[in-house]
Amino acid sequence: MLSLQAGAVVDKNFDYHVDRFADIEVLRYEVPEYDRLSLNQKKMIYFLSQAAQAGRDIIWDQNGRYNLQIRKLLENIYTNYKGDKNSADFKAFEKYLKQVWFGNGIHHHYSTDKFIPEFSETFFKEQVAALPDSLLPLNPGETRQQMMATLTPVIFDPTVMPKRVNQDGTIDVVANSASNLYGDGVTQAEVEAYYAAMKDPNDATPISYGLNARVVKEDGKIKEEHYHLNGLYGPAIAKIIYWLDMAKSVAENDAQKAYITKLIDYYITGDLRLFDEYSILWAEDTASDVDFVNGFIESYGDPLGMTGSYESYVNFKNKKSSDRTETISSNAQWFEDHSPIDPRFRKPVVKGVSAKVINAAMLAGDAFPSTAIGINLPNANWIRAAHGSKSVTLENITEAYDMASHGNGFNEEFVIDAPTSKLMEDYLYITDMLHTDLHECLGHASGQLMPGVDPDALKENGSALEEARADLFALYYLADPKLIELGILDNPDAYKAEYYKYMLNGLMTQLNRIEPGKDIEEAHMRNRQLIAAYILDKGKKDKVAQLVKKNGKTYVKINDYQKMRALIADLLAEIQRIKSEGDYKAGADLINKYAVKVDPKLHKEVLDRFSKLDIPPYRGFINPVYEPVYDKDGNITDVKLKYGENYVDQMLRLSQDYTTLGF
Ligand code: ZN
């Protein structure tokens, strides 16, 4: 049986709140159990943290070709500013810089829309004019005037590079995305034709095409530029390799040494076969306490879902809570066998679904400052099928979110009545954690494709439908008596807390992240609205769930939780069929019917009600600082963990210490 705190050791005096600007709140997270680590493990965390941050510039450059230059220019203006720091222009400038830091570039990390500066162009020009030449981040051969002619519209003109990742299926998503994953003049049709010619439909173990490549056009021909030691991003990769090599020297065991070696070989060559070999070794090492991800991993930043964004997570086991996920994953076959889908689409043997709960120790690249709370890797379907995958829940991150949210007035404003609020207060923390566990350990790993089905057949809807599949799997089992039988939940009604929150979020509160007049685009948000709107629609006749009015405000009301579970089962079966058969049309129909459009009246109401609460729609984290202590011979005798840094100081320090690509 688990307590509500799920084994957590919470320091009530820990200060989670760091900074607040625009639609963002920056938090810090605690690293519990750090003191239990050995000196070698602490050194490992230090070296891996260095490797993690060494790649920082890569994500900035992947997100947009001018990001590194703009970052340096803004930082130099900021640190050399001599004027009135209370002036409206300076305050707006500081806000913009904080946003740019948070987005790892000039686009919002989530909506991928370009930030709109609230300071004047005149202010900007004056500040640049005040900088001496030595403080200008100029490209080779570039003059001050040329730099300004390029960067001014990139920063100020809303029609220039307006969106980092454009998912609008009716236009050329490659040509209309501002990210730097494709070169000038490259079109979606050209990229698709290029990779179609490369893919062998009969290859049972395909590499992750395009994962570490920028696609460019040279003399009218499409080709890849690979990320590796002597290729694109070489100087950053050289530093990553250096620190990975240091980490290897204190690896916990031979299995870990072997996967670090393979990762280094991959970084040296850029050979995606080596990346697959690394991924297999990594997925199979479930014994190591300290662990990490470092590479080009998730492809949400690519409108075609191929190129991986640089990210790194350094972590170690949260021993107390890992019991929970080990129980779940050791019963993986039972969950697969009882899944409410066509038996043909079930995996006959679910292999090595491992799961553990971890404490994040360092977040970097695309995982910083905004981070996931659960990770399930590797991403390659055939590796997951043949060798299993590793699934982790970042407990100290979830905990920081939860602790920082207490008393913010959300439940009072949006939850329909006191009993539902009480249920959420008592059970939402544990059911949220379980939802993440089930989503990551079992949901993504479940099901199989029919022979010959292209894993990319669902195209631009693939990510949203895959997230829906994993969420539905998790939701379905949250209400299963099996969880009580396994001792993971102690109350058969606990799941209702998560069901209520899911409907509330999917139908209403997540709209707080959308600007008025815009559609839903991000994959996870589409998935949530898809599920919630489907339940609302299909349950209309039986009044399973409703939107009701009380005192002029809209509330989610759930009348029949068991029927809601049955609708979850129906939708899971259909989405699994769509994935297993590669039914693009049916997937696109579901997405278009339920996941994209927003009711403008309800949207406005949600925004108004939120604005009174001052709850930031997005949150992220700064990292703690690891400080090695050396003896007189230069040996590390300890690594101290420190929390006190603020957001601005951390960002400036990262730019100071980890600039590898150019400026
Ligand atoms: Zn997922």
Side-chain angles (χ1 to χ4, degrees):
M1 202 78 57
L2 280 159
S3 72
L4 292 183
Q5 289 299 340
V9 187
V10 177
D11 176 356
K12 296 267 184 256
N13 297 316
F14 188 79
D15 184 8
Y16 292 93
H17 301 273
V18 178
D19 208 339
R20 176 82 171 84
F21 50 89
D23 54 357
I24 301 290
E25 180 174 26
V26 180
L27 305 173
R28 61 169 65 80
Y29 59 90
E30 208 181 356
V31 186
E33 301 185 343
Y34 180 75
D35 291 342
R36 76 163 174 79
L37 300 180
S38 68
L39 176 59
N40 263 358
Q41 288 178 315
K42 288 179 178 176
K43 282 159 88 172
M44 179 93 175
I45 284 180
Y46 173 66
F47 297 146
L48 290 171
S49 295
Q50 295 291 101
Q53 294 299 354
R56 179 181 187 237
D57 279 1
I58 297 175
I59 186 66
W60 282 75
D61 194 70
Q62 285 184 306
N63 283 349
R65 57 192 291 192
Y66 303 110
N67 281 337
L68 288 169
Q69 193 177 23
I70 290 172
R71 184 182 80 197
K72 187 67 186 172
L73 184 60
L74 298 177
E75 287 176 352
N76 281 350
I77 291 173
Y78 186 77
T79 53
N80 292 282
Y81 182 74
K82 305 274 190 311
D84 176 7
K85 293 203 168 168
N86 289 314
S87 72
D89 268 330
F90 182 77
K91 288 234 175 276
F93 176 81
E94 184 177 49
K95 174 179 163 187
Y96 178 75
L97 176 56
K98 286 180 176 184
Q99 289 179 289
V100 170
W101 278 328
F102 201 92
N104 295 310
I106 59 171
H107 298 89
H108 193 278
H109 72 284
Y110 203 80
S111 72
T112 81
D113 291 329
K114 197 166 83 168
F115 296 121
I116 299 165
E118 292 165 9
F119 53 94
S120 67
E121 218 174 296
T122 312
F123 174 83
F124 176 64
K125 285 181 174 154
E126 283 167 6
Q127 297 312 315
V128 175
L131 289 176
D133 284 352
S134 61
L135 289 177
L136 292 182
L138 298 172
N139 287 300
E142 194 178 33
T143 67
R144 179 185 282 267
Q145 289 72 21
Q146 286 166 338
M147 180 194 77
M148 286 302 278
T150 307
L151 297 188
T152 306
V154 170
I155 294 172
F156 287 96
D157 185 341
T159 65
V160 175
M161 303 175 78
K163 202 161 187 69
R164 178 161 60 81
V165 189
N166 202 321
Q167 310 264 43
D168 180 349
T170 65
I171 57 169
D172 181 330
V173 294
V174 168
N176 287 287
S177 292
S179 70
N180 195 20
L181 306 177
Y182 299 95
D184 279 340
V186 177
T187 67
Q188 179 177 357
E190 286 169 333
V191 177
E192 283 172 352
Y194 176 78
Y195 285 109
M198 211 182 266
K199 283 184 187 176
D200 169 5
N202 299 315
D203 184 354
T205 60
I207 56 167
S208 300
Y209 289 96
L211 188 70
N212 63 341
R214 185 165 181 265
V215 176
V216 296
K217 204 189 264 188
E218 220 178 66
D219 305 323
K221 276 190 66 156
I222 296 293
K223 64 164 212 175
E224 289 182 323
E225 289 177 342
H226 293 109
Y227 309 155
H228 61 86
L229 181 60
N230 296 310
L232 203 52
Y233 304 142
I237 289 170
K239 290 261 164 60
I240 295 172
I241 292 172
Y242 172 84
W243 289 110
L244 288 178
D245 208 46
M246 296 291 284
K248 197 170 101 177
S249 71
V250 288
E252 284 181 31
N253 50 55
D254 289 343
Q256 190 168 57
K257 214 168 258 179
Y259 83 69
I260 298 176
T261 305
K262 202 61 97 173
L263 179 60
I264 292 173
D265 290 347
Y266 158 64
Y267 266 132
I268 292 172
T269 59
D271 180 349
L272 285 171
R273 287 269 160 230
L274 292 177
F275 180 66
D276 285 346
E277 289 172 22
Y278 149 78
S279 298
I280 292 166
L281 292 173
W282 177 80
E284 289 178 344
D285 169 30
T286 52
S288 299
D289 191 347
V290 176
D291 197 359
F292 71 103
V293 172
N294 184 308
F296 310 106
I297 309 292
E298 303 292 353
S299 53
Y300 303 106
D302 176 357
L304 297 180
M306 302 178 78
T307 305
S309 298
Y310 174 78
E311 72 172 30
S312 183
Y313 289 91
V314 182
N315 63 77
F316 59 95
K317 250 183 205 165
N318 181 312
K319 290 239 188 258
K320 289 181 179 161
S321 296
S322 287
D323 286 353
R324 182 185 70 226
T325 51
E326 272 153 28
T327 303
I328 290 172
S329 51
S330 63
N331 286 279
Q333 193 65 51
W334 185 92
F335 287 102
E336 185 73 6
D337 293 346
H338 293 80
S339 174
I341 60 174
D342 187 327
R344 290 181 301 136
F345 305 145
R346 288 185 194 137
K347 271 202 186 102
V349 182
V350 186
K351 277 190 194 145
V353 182
S354 83
K356 60 180 176 176
V357 180
I358 59 169
N359 296 314
M362 181 62 61
L363 311 167
D366 204 31
F368 170 83
S370 172
T371 180
I373 51 172
I375 329 167
N376 183 337
L377 295 172
N379 280 329
N381 275 312
W382 69 267
I383 297 179
R384 301 166 73 89
H387 303 273
S389 61
K390 203 143 72 177
S391 172
V392 298
T393 306
L394 286 71
E395 176 131 328
N396 58 333
I397 297 296
T398 311
E399 202 157 67
Y401 279 137
D402 187 63
M403 294 301 288
S405 303
H406 279 302
N408 65 10
F410 177 89
N411 280 10
E412 290 76 1
E413 180 58 44
F414 288 106
V415 177
I416 187 159
D417 53 31
T420 311
S421 264
K422 171 88 172 91
L423 198 65
M424 287 169 77
E425 266 156 40
D426 289 349
Y427 284 101
L428 195 55
Y429 184 74
I430 181 66
T431 53
D432 254 352
M433 300 276 267
L434 272 172
H435 181 271
T436 307
D437 296 340
L438 291 164
H439 174 116
E440 298 292 346
C441 326
L442 303 182
H444 282 306
S446 78
Q448 62 178 355
L449 300 183
M450 292 292 95
V453 170
D454 178 356
D456 299 325
L458 305 179
K459 295 190 205 168
E460 75 276 9
N461 300 313
S463 296
L465 290 168
E466 176 57 19
E467 291 311 319
R469 200 175 69 86
D471 263 1
L472 288 161
F473 195 97
L475 290 167
Y476 178 76
Y477 279 117
L478 263 182
D480 202 286
K482 185 77 178 176
L483 297 188
I484 309 259
E485 187 192 307
L486 292 173
I488 293 170
L489 283 175
D490 63 0
N491 181 338
D493 287 333
Y495 77 95
K496 292 177 182 172
E498 184 69 19
Y499 275 28
Y500 189 85
K501 190 209 85 172
Y502 202 92
M503 290 298 281
L504 176 60
N505 192 35
L507 293 172
M508 291 178 58
T509 49
Q510 74 165 358
L511 296 178
N512 189 39
R513 296 169 161 218
I514 304 285
E515 280 175 40
K518 296 231 159 117
D519 287 341
I520 296 181
E521 293 182 18
E522 197 277 333
H524 295 81
M525 289 183 73
R526 283 191 169 184
N527 136 47
R528 287 180 207 123
Q529 179 168 301
L530 165 64
I531 293 172
Y534 175 93
I535 290 166
L536 192 69
D537 182 38
K538 298 287 177 187
K540 207 180 274 168
K541 194 167 60 74
D542 296 337
K543 296 203 166 99
V544 173
Q546 297 168 288
L547 288 175
V548 298
K549 288 272 187 191
K550 239 174 71 177
N551 305 324
K553 291 178 179 178
T554 310
Y555 291 89
V556 169
K557 184 161 187 265
I558 299 178
N559 299 307
D560 191 331
Y561 282 92
Q562 276 303 316
K563 278 196 182 141
M564 177 171 158
R565 187 180 185 222
L567 291 172
I568 287 168
D570 291 349
L571 186 57
L572 175 56
E574 174 59 4
I575 291 182
Q576 183 62 55
R577 184 199 66 74
I578 287 169
K579 169 148 179 158
S580 292
E581 295 178 347
D583 188 343
Y584 172 82
K585 167 84 170 57
D589 287 348
L590 268 182
I591 293 286
N592 292 331
K593 183 162 185 205
Y594 294 114
V596 182
K597 289 291 168 210
V598 175
D599 170 3
K601 258 180 70 187
L602 184 60
H603 188 189
K604 182 173 184 315
E605 181 192 325
V606 168
L607 293 175
D608 288 348
R609 286 164 71 182
F610 256 109
S611 67
K612 291 189 193 102
L613 295 178
D614 195 35
I615 296 174
Y618 303 96
R619 294 186 290 186
F621 293 90
I622 58 167
N623 286 302
V625 181
Y626 297 92
E627 263 179 26
V629 179
Y630 295 92
D631 68 12
K632 61 179 181 4
D633 302 320
N635 302 307
I636 295 178
T637 57
D638 193 9
V639 180
K640 293 232 183 299
L641 167 64
K642 296 193 169 167
Y643 293 111
E645 206 169 26
N646 72 32
Y647 178 63
V648 171
D649 289 344
Q650 177 149 120
M651 289 300 172
L652 290 173
R653 178 176 59 79
L654 292 176
S655 296
Q656 180 80 37
D657 293 354
Y658 303 99
T659 288
T660 52
L661 301 175
F663 303 105

